[in-house]
Amino acid sequence: MMMLGPMEADDLIYVVVLILSLLFGTVVKMSADPWRRQVLCCFAGCLIVAIVCRLDGLHSLLTAFVNCIIISCFKPSICHVVSFMWCFGYIAFFRTTAYFGLPQVAPHANAVQLILTLKMVGLGFEIHDMWQIHKQQEQENEERMSRTLQQLHSRQNFIRPTFASMFMYSFCYVGLLAGPYYKYKTYNDMIHNSDSRRIKTFSIMMKRLKWLPVLIIGFLVTSTYYSIQVSHFLYDI
């Protein structure tokens, strides 16, 4: 009987978690309460990080926690700069932990940390841009406001998120492993969508899943010669 090595087992867990994430979307969609929907998404995301990254997930936890403090405490005019310096400064440390006598992080943890960094930095810039729009709106007369400014304001008409909302956005399971990156505004719309039960997600999911057998076969073939461990090694060269 063929036994899976540590990396092959991790790759298999990675694929299984991705597939289960698709099915879990139905549970989230059927939840009518926005707060419950937030908690479900965050709980699933934390569970995924714990399974895939194990103790390396503490890096992501620290990054998100400190970044939420930064955005909550600093003024909107500079929060995006401080957030950028913290997140990309930490990811530089994250990629060089071996030089500090710490264990080298698992390959899958790199993917999670990268997506999380993009979300955290993007959140800071979203809040900064929203603050600029509202500031400009206050300075200009309502009749003289440009049409472009009105459109931007209507698309970003939400207050600064709470600490809990930012943290739960950080660990929302959607896109946590493989992307894509999406803004907090998109996340907020998903959480507060009152018509989510009417969205025909099953047919869309099945349309995309028809390629799953081909992708699985391709994954099994290529991982035999080019596993994620190899890509991690090449990245460190």
Side-chain angles (χ1 to χ4, degrees), residues 2 25 35 50 69 75 127 140 150-151 203 214:
M2 183 178 66
W35 174 252
I69 293 178
K75 295 180 179 180
I127 292 176
E140 296 185 8
Q150 292 181 20
Q151 292 173 349
S203 59
V214 178

Side-chain angles (χ1 to χ4, degrees), residues 195-211:
D195 296 325
S196 60
R197 295 187 179 186
R198 301 179 183 179
I199 301 176
K200 298 180 180 180
T201 54
F202 184 78
S203 59
I204 299 175
M205 181 181 70
M206 294 307 298
K207 183 178 179 181
R208 293 178 180 272
L209 285 181
K210 68 181 182 180
W211 293 101

Side-chain angles (χ1 to χ4, degrees), residues 38 118-120 122-124 126-127 130 158-170 181-192:
Q38 270 189 308
L118 293 176
K119 291 170 72 174
M120 292 293 90
L123 178 60
E126 272 191 89
I127 292 176
M130 181 187 63
F158 66 98
I159 60 174
R160 179 190 290 209
T162 63
F163 184 96
S165 295
M166 289 189 291
F167 186 83
M168 287 190 281
Y169 161 68
S170 306
Y181 161 75
Y182 51 91
K183 293 183 176 182
Y184 179 84
K185 181 64 167 60
T186 303
Y187 166 80
N188 191 63
D189 290 343
M190 183 269 291
I191 292 298
H192 293 90

